[in-house]
Every structure is written in C-alpha cells, then in structure tokens.
Amino acid sequence: MGSGAFALALFLALVVCISPAERKCQLSGLWRNEQDSLMEISALTDDGGFQGEYLTRVTLAGGCPRVSPLKGAQQQPSEVASPTFAFTVRWDVFSNATTTFAGQCFVEASGREVLSTMWLLREAVGSLEEDWKATRVGRNIFTRKRAPGGKILHSLSSSCEDVASPTP
C-alpha cells in the first residue's frame, strides 16, 4: 500500500472511530434558527471571545431589519466538547431593544451541530411604571448552515429603502 493510500485509510479510520459525542462543537460559522434568522460568528479568540453579525427575520415594531452586531464569549473554549456561551445583539437602527442569548453547543448523534439558546430581549420604555412590559423571554435552536467562506449576511439583507414604512 502506498503512503497516500495508507494516509487515506488512517484518516477514514479516525473519522469513523470518533463518535459525535466526542466531536467538539464549534461556534464559528453561519447558523440559522427556526424563524429563519441568520447569525454569523467569527473565529474565537484564545480567551473565548467572539463577535459576529445577526440578521433577524422578526422585529418588534415591523421595521426593516438590518444586520446587527453581536459580541460574546464561550466558556472553556478548548476544553469542552459541548461548550456554553453567551452573546448580546445590539439591534442596529430599526429597534430600541437589546437581546442577550445564553446557550450550549451540541453535536447530535447524526453529526449535526446545534446551538440551544434562551434569550432575554429588553425594549426601552418611557418610565419605571412601564418596566413590567419591557422584557421578553424566548428560546431559539440554531443549526449550522453550510455556506461559502466570508461574510455573507449583508448580501442576504433586504434593502430597507425599497420597503414602505408601516402606517400607524
């Protein structure tokens, strides 16, 4: 057996022997949730920090969503197969709200990577008396979306200039 064939056989043996439970879930990349929102996470820094962009398909006031920045951190970035993480999205221009997500990254038995998250959305209100209605809670499941490398969310964002403003 030639060295190339041996290397291929060794690689295939290693891939088959690594169960999904032993594979590490990687946060970086493009993700889609059940509302068809997209999130792109950059590579993690050595201390677990990351940034990225989020394109929501859901808005509070019906405004035109734009790509919004996100920043976060992953716990124990190189030590855990299913790490926990948290990030915050500052909704850009179209909303007066901020959302914080906390979750965990899993590799299912099928090999599919999943981010299971809970979120708190805080909307600005005019007074302390209105505080009771300012925070919403929810859950999102994100799955990895295979896409060409590079930032692509801006190309997927709709043009807000073409969308009529909602009438009161």
Side-chain angles (χ1 to χ4, degrees):
M1 180 185 309
S3 63
F6 178 75
L8 179 60
L10 181 61
F11 172 74
L12 291 174
L14 288 173
V15 169
V16 170
C17 292
I18 299 173
S19 71
E22 295 169 331
R23 289 195 8 220
K24 290 188 177 182
C25 194
Q26 302 293 322
L27 281 181
S28 60
L30 185 62
W31 299 87
R32 179 189 309 264
N33 71 14
E34 63 275 13
Q35 273 79 38
D36 209 29
S37 295
L38 294 169
M39 169 176 63
E40 192 167 17
I41 297 176
S42 67
L44 273 67
T45 61
D46 290 340
D47 66 355
F50 61 88
Q51 56 188 352
E53 297 178 320
Y54 198 105
L55 177 60
T56 185
R57 300 290 187 206
V58 181
T59 63
L60 290 174
C64 182
R66 297 183 187 269
V67 173
S68 297
L70 69 82
K71 289 185 181 182
Q74 175 180 311
Q75 183 67 18
Q76 301 169 327
S78 63
E79 300 173 16
V80 180
S82 296
T84 59
F85 60 90
F87 63 89
T88 299
V89 178
R90 180 181 50 83
W91 303 112
D92 234 3
V93 181
F94 67 91
S95 177
N96 64 345
T98 301
T99 303
T100 299
F101 292 78
Q104 189 168 359
C105 189
F106 296 98
V107 178
E108 294 181 324
S110 66
R112 182 175 83 145
E113 291 173 288
V114 175
L115 304 180
S116 176
T117 66
M118 292 290 295
W119 52 262
L120 291 173
L121 180 144
R122 177 64 188 215
E123 184 177 14
V125 293
S127 68
L128 186 57
E129 288 75 27
E130 296 176 288
D131 188 58
W132 65 271
K133 66 179 180 179
T135 303
R136 299 174 190 199
V137 179
R139 180 170 190 249
N140 282 128
I141 301 293
F142 293 86
T143 55
R144 184 171 301 282
K145 181 174 177 6
R146 302 288 176 208
K151 296 187 175 202
I152 66 164
L153 291 191
H154 288 279
S155 66
L156 298 173
S157 180
S158 61
S159 171
C160 292
E161 290 75 6
D162 297 339
V163 177
S165 299
T167 56

